[in-house]
Amino acid sequence: MLAQFPLETHSRGMITVAGMLRDAGMEVVVIGNATPRQIVETAVQEDADVVGISTYCGGELVLAEDLLAEATSKGIRDRTAFLLGGVFPPRNAAKLRDMGFSGTFPPSSTKSEIVSCIENAVRSGDKSSA
Amino acid sequence: MCSRTERVPLYNPAAIDGIGRDLDRWLNQVVDVRDREQFRLTPLSLLGSEISRAMLYTPLDTPDLDYGDLGFPGQEPYTRGIHPNMYRGRTFTMRQLCGAGSREYINQRIRSLLDHGATGVNLILDAATIQMYDSDEPEARGQVGTVGVPIDSSEDMDAIFQDVPIDKVSVSIVTHYPQNTAILFPMYLVMAERRGIPWNRLQGSVQNDFVMETVVRSASQYISPRDAFRIQCDNIQFLRTNVPKWNCVTFNGYNLREFGTSGVTEMAVALANAIETVSEMERRGHGPDYVGERLAFFWSFASDFFGEVARLRAVRRLWHRIMRYRFQAQNPKSMWMRCHVQTSGISLTREEPMNNIVRASFHALAAILGGAQSLHVDSYDEAYSVPSEDASLLSLRTQQIIQAETAVTEVVDPLGGSFYVEALTIEMERRILDELDEIERLGGLISAIEKGWLHGRVNEHIKREQKMIEDGDIRLVGRNYLRSPDVQMPDLWVHENDAGLESDTAQRLRQMRQRRDNQEVGRCLDRLKGTCRGQDNIMASCVEAVRAGATEGEMRRAFIEAFGAWAPPKFTF
């Protein structure tokens, strides 16, 4: 499932990644702009394995925290992989990983990088739930 | 050109015949067989037009070229420039975006850029302000002051422009959308009013483009293209009457192209919007010069160097033809395709970011050779964050070096007359016109957008371009071409968000709401909703609401309540 935080103005990244994932044979749900709560609620409804966030306008650390907190409270934190892509300061990539994001993708990330990250995340998710 | 009806070809037919024979001989006897077979190639570049190029251009590529198609600069059809002396008379406006942060910080940045020789101000807004949310709305969390300055009410304008000579400096306010223009520009006007500066002395521009609002922008809620277009036109009418020196609309090709279109679509859509606007003004009882003399265009300049120069020359000629022959404009100013150019952000790479300085310099040079009026050079760190102060200064210096050291500005339209550039200019003009026709066959731009044509066009472009990058057909040095075996991401200074800014801004806003007369604000907002539902121009009610202290978020909610929500066509993947 791909989403953007509520006031994000750019969507080229999300559209591009949606195309890449569909080409790779994945089922993709694109919800666009939504609050962390709406994103998690939709992830529950859609039973999403992976939630990808596209962000260009900053504030990614604050909103990523909110997103994970919502995921915890709705009980999907452990069975969902969270990814984030877009324009953000390089040092925030490490912070997002520490927070629990499985992957971060700055501009010029390739299809194979994104797809293999998702495949790994889903595979390790399957193992832990088994 | 306009006085004579018969075309006078520049090249005489005998010379053309002779050159044709010589070209055949040269091709067959001198040129290598492989070069002959691949005489025309199509260069692929980001946001490119995919127009094939010959290995060599000669008069045969434009055998019936009439000098009247070019004319003299400052004369119809303005192919060679809108002023006789171009940059000798007045250099291009060096208008760099002035950064992100608190209103006090931005005030300092504006003054600092002006002290460093910038000749215009380019105010950019944070995401909450662009999307018309107050800094204390829940959705604004994390978005205050990150990519621009937060503005909630006219008091923020007071702080941002404190001690800035707004009666002398031209101020571009990147309002993007018609709705946002109807909110933020009144705040600017009320600020000027408080400083005792008459509105008729203010100079600058707003964007005010409904395509930007309904197609380019990602958002959770939209009003319809028809309503957004009506606000666009209401803004124009109000500005023409009350702020006569202000450019009331900037047809924004830039963001559409960066979102994902060719340079041809970029220009066709902007022209289509301009045509709809002039027509709507006619329906409202104003001639073509009413809006024509105070509109501008905003273009993206990417890496296909000659393609970009040709495009600018082409659209200048085309705009002249549209205004003169379709609308019978009288004022030469209305036939001037005046524009601001920003170098392409999407053409920059994250890898080896210093390479972007070189890229942006070429983009900027093309804009100047093409005859742009105003320029912003993107900074090398765009793929990392909002530009740092150093990177931003380097962009300004790039412009100044081109202007002061390279001597390219001494000669007007220096590429005019090049067999290649003239042929490419004609080809660009033809393609822009073809797409313009396509839009008109769909019933005009508003209908085309409602039918999903533009969304589809963007969708297709993004997919195709992504594949060309993945396949290496579009080469980006350091990224997918000649990539270093060991790519190190440099440790750049990136824009730091001020942690306290959001809460300080929100607190100040709450205090302002306590100080103002809330009953009066409520009455003003009700009147605004009333005018939105009716036929009258909405702007007077907007100014009145802003004077009473209405905030951006309150006005956004009034609009959506009055106009209702619109579900845009979906992007497919």
Side-chain angles (χ1 to χ4, degrees):
Chain A
M1 198 183 92
L2 296 176
Q4 299 176 303
F5 291 131
L7 301 189
E8 182 57 56
T9 52
H10 309 83
S11 55
R12 182 172 178 151
M14 185 179 64
I15 294 168
T16 304
V17 171
M20 288 173 171
L21 302 184
R22 192 148 291 174
D23 285 352
M26 296 181 191
E27 185 193 340
V28 186
V29 177
V30 177
I31 65 166
N33 296 63
T35 62
R37 173 168 299 171
Q38 290 164 338
I39 294 169
V40 168
E41 282 169 359
T42 314
V44 171
Q45 284 161 21
E46 297 284 340
D47 196 20
D49 297 314
V50 180
V51 172
I53 302 293
S54 177
T55 170
Y56 292 80
C57 287
E60 62 281 344
L61 292 180
V62 175
L63 292 164
E65 286 268 21
D66 288 0
L67 181 72
L68 295 182
E70 285 290 342
T72 305
S73 81
K74 295 282 187 316
I76 62 161
R77 170 87 184 252
D78 294 336
R79 62 179 166 91
T80 314
F82 290 89
L83 275 58
L84 184 141
V87 173
F88 46 86
R91 62 171 181 279
N92 286 359
K95 291 182 188 167
L96 288 159
R97 293 237 177 77
D98 291 347
M99 212 184 270
F101 275 73
S102 308
T104 54
F105 298 96
S108 80
S109 300
T110 63
K111 182 161 136 185
S112 63
E113 286 164 359
I114 299 171
V115 167
S116 71
C117 173
I118 290 177
E119 285 170 352
N120 288 337
V122 171
R123 215 174 292 132
S124 63
D126 286 349
K127 254 182 256 156
S128 65
S129 63
Chain B
M1 172 202 173
C2 303
S3 51
R4 55 187 164 82
T5 49
E6 234 172 78
R7 290 184 63 82
V8 182
L10 210 50
Y11 308 115
N12 77 57
I16 289 287
D17 287 348
I19 296 167
R21 282 191 301 275
D22 292 346
L23 178 70
D24 282 343
R25 203 174 305 127
W26 175 77
L27 274 171
N28 292 311
Q29 295 174 7
V30 182
V31 172
D32 187 90
V33 62
R34 272 173 317 184
D35 288 329
R36 193 161 59 235
E37 280 165 4
Q38 300 181 22
F39 198 73
R40 290 200 82 89
L41 293 176
T42 302
L44 298 176
S45 62
L46 278 183
L47 309 173
S49 53
E50 295 183 39
I51 292 175
S52 72
R53 313 292 159 88
M55 191 173 85
L56 185 81
Y57 285 81
T58 68
L60 293 178
D61 293 287
T62 54
D64 60 350
L65 186 70
D66 179 327
Y67 191 76
D69 297 338
L70 312 180
F72 287 91
Q75 288 189 337
E76 299 178 40
Y78 303 107
T79 314
R80 308 203 66 184
I82 60 172
H83 303 299
N85 56 0
M86 284 303 287
Y87 304 128
R88 282 193 183 197
R90 183 178 165 180
T91 190
F92 45 92
T93 305
M94 302 187 198
R95 200 190 280 284
Q96 290 293 132
L97 294 169
C98 52
S102 71
R103 58 191 205 176
E104 290 77 16
Y105 170 74
I106 294 305
N107 175 255
Q108 282 170 18
R109 290 285 301 141
I110 291 173
R111 287 155 59 186
S112 158
L113 283 165
L114 292 173
D115 287 347
H116 280 89
T119 48
V121 170
N122 210 354
L123 186 71
I124 189 151
L125 314 165
D126 71 0
T129 307
I130 292 171
Q131 297 277 28
M132 299 167 278
Y133 281 71
D134 285 341
S135 300
D136 63 347
E137 288 187 72
E139 290 85 349
R141 188 167 149 74
Q143 304 292 316
V144 176
T146 52
V147 293
V149 62
I151 300 176
D152 296 310
S153 78
S154 65
E155 289 187 4
D156 297 316
M157 288 289 187
D158 294 341
I160 292 166
F161 290 99
Q162 194 181 345
D163 298 326
V164 176
I166 55 165
D167 49 346
K168 297 190 181 73
V169 179
S170 123
V171 175
S172 156
I173 307 175
V174 190
T175 50
H176 290 307
Y177 321 128
Q179 280 192 80
N180 215 351
T181 307
I183 298 171
L184 294 174
F185 195 66
M187 292 181 182
Y188 189 81
L189 291 177
V190 168
M191 176 271 293
E193 199 171 77
R194 277 200 282 259
R195 281 172 61 175
I197 299 172
W199 290 354
N200 63 12
R201 282 171 56 196
L202 302 175
Q203 289 183 57
S205 61
V206 285
Q207 224 165 64
N208 190 27
D209 181 325
F210 87 101
V211 181
M212 186 69 189
E213 178 170 327
T214 58
V215 181
V216 179
R217 161 193 183 216
S218 184
S220 50
Q221 214 169 28
Y222 300 86
I223 63 169
S224 77
R226 236 162 258 282
D227 292 329
F229 180 73
R230 179 232 168 148
I231 300 179
Q232 177 179 310
C233 294
D234 283 2
N235 291 337
I236 290 170
Q237 255 186 320
F238 182 87
L239 265 75
R240 287 308 290 127
T241 310
N242 298 287
V243 200
K245 284 198 211 160
W246 202 273
N247 289 314
C248 49
V249 58
T250 307
F251 297 103
N252 177 354
Y254 184 91
N255 288 75
L256 175 65
R257 188 179 187 206
E258 296 280 310
F259 184 20
T261 57
S262 72
V264 170
T265 305
E266 173 192 13
M267 288 182 162
V269 169
L271 289 178
N273 190 358
I275 289 170
E276 296 250 2
T277 302
V278 177
S279 304
E280 171 62 18
M281 288 304 146
E282 288 191 328
R283 278 190 289 275
R284 295 184 183 198
H286 306 290
D289 295 309
Y290 176 80
V291 59
E293 61 189 26
R294 276 288 165 213
L295 60 78
F297 293 88
F298 173 28
W299 308 123
S300 150
F301 260 52
S303 297
D304 173 7
F305 190 87
F306 288 102
E308 295 299 63
V309 175
R311 227 163 48 93
L312 203 57
R313 300 175 84 247
V315 75
R316 213 160 33 231
R317 183 158 65 204
L318 192 48
W319 178 245
H320 159 263
R321 287 181 172 159
I322 291 166
M323 287 307 276
R324 187 173 218 300
Y325 300 110
R326 177 166 177 164
F327 290 110
Q328 274 95 44
Q330 301 298 315
N331 184 344
K333 270 190 176 180
S334 309
M335 306 174 213
W336 292 354
M337 195 291 300
R338 294 180 302 154
C339 66
H340 172 67
V341 166
Q342 180 170 339
T343 64
S344 169
I346 212 141
S347 302
L348 307 182
T349 65
R350 187 168 171 102
E351 295 86 351
E352 301 180 20
M354 297 299 165
N355 296 349
N356 295 329
I357 301 169
V358 182
R359 290 191 180 98
S361 303
F362 285 122
H363 302 162
L365 182 60
I368 292 161
L369 296 181
Q373 276 59 59
S374 163
L375 184 61
H376 166 96
V377 175
D378 269 22
S379 295
Y380 65 86
D381 54 359
E382 297 271 341
Y384 290 82
S385 83
V386 171
S388 66
E389 287 180 24
D390 285 349
S392 176
L393 181 59
L394 181 55
S395 292
L396 178 59
R397 293 304 192 208
T398 304
Q399 301 202 35
Q400 291 166 338
I401 289 167
I402 294 174
Q403 191 267 327
E405 299 182 15
T406 65
V408 297
T409 57
E410 299 300 341
V411 174
V412 177
D413 188 33
L415 298 180
S418 149
F419 307 129
Y420 173 34
V421 171
E422 295 303 349
L424 198 52
T425 301
I426 291 168
E427 180 64 14
M428 285 288 182
E429 187 180 10
R430 191 183 64 76
R431 292 200 184 205
I432 296 166
L433 202 50
D434 283 351
E435 278 207 27
L436 203 45
D437 270 349
E438 193 179 336
I439 295 168
E440 301 220 319
R441 280 198 304 275
L442 290 163
L445 187 58
I446 298 171
S447 299
I449 291 172
E450 285 171 341
K451 288 172 182 160
W453 174 83
L454 191 49
H455 286 75
R457 183 58 61 118
V458 169
N459 216 105
E460 204 178 296
H461 181 97
I462 292 177
K463 260 195 220 170
R464 225 176 108 65
E465 188 162 86
Q466 183 58 29
K467 190 173 180 326
M468 289 196 285
I469 296 168
E470 281 170 17
D471 295 347
D473 296 331
I474 291 176
R475 294 183 297 183
L476 299 163
V477 172
R479 177 170 163 193
N480 68 355
Y481 180 65
L482 303 176
R483 189 182 172 93
S484 302
D486 177 25
V487 184
Q488 300 286 337
M489 290 301 168
D491 192 18
L492 291 182
W493 182 93
V494 294
H495 176 78
E496 292 276 355
N497 291 325
D498 173 358
L501 178 57
E502 187 164 322
S503 55
D504 290 353
T505 309
Q507 198 192 346
R508 198 154 51 195
L509 175 58
R510 281 191 290 272
Q511 287 164 352
M512 191 282 293
R513 285 205 201 93
Q514 280 163 6
R515 274 200 313 273
R516 67 185 189 180
D517 178 347
N518 280 299
Q519 279 188 332
E520 174 60 11
V521 172
R523 278 192 295 272
C524 287
L525 291 171
D526 284 341
R527 270 199 295 272
L528 175 57
K529 281 180 255 183
T531 46
C532 288
R533 291 189 183 106
Q535 304 293 316
D536 294 342
N537 192 307
I538 65 162
M539 273 294 268
S541 332
C542 293
V543 174
E544 190 183 45
V546 163
R547 255 193 217 116
T551 65
E552 201 191 15
E554 289 164 344
M555 292 173 75
R556 180 197 86 247
R557 292 193 293 273
F559 285 146
I560 194 84
E561 206 180 299
F563 289 114
W566 173 67
K570 292 241 182 298
F571 290 103
T572 58
F573 309 102

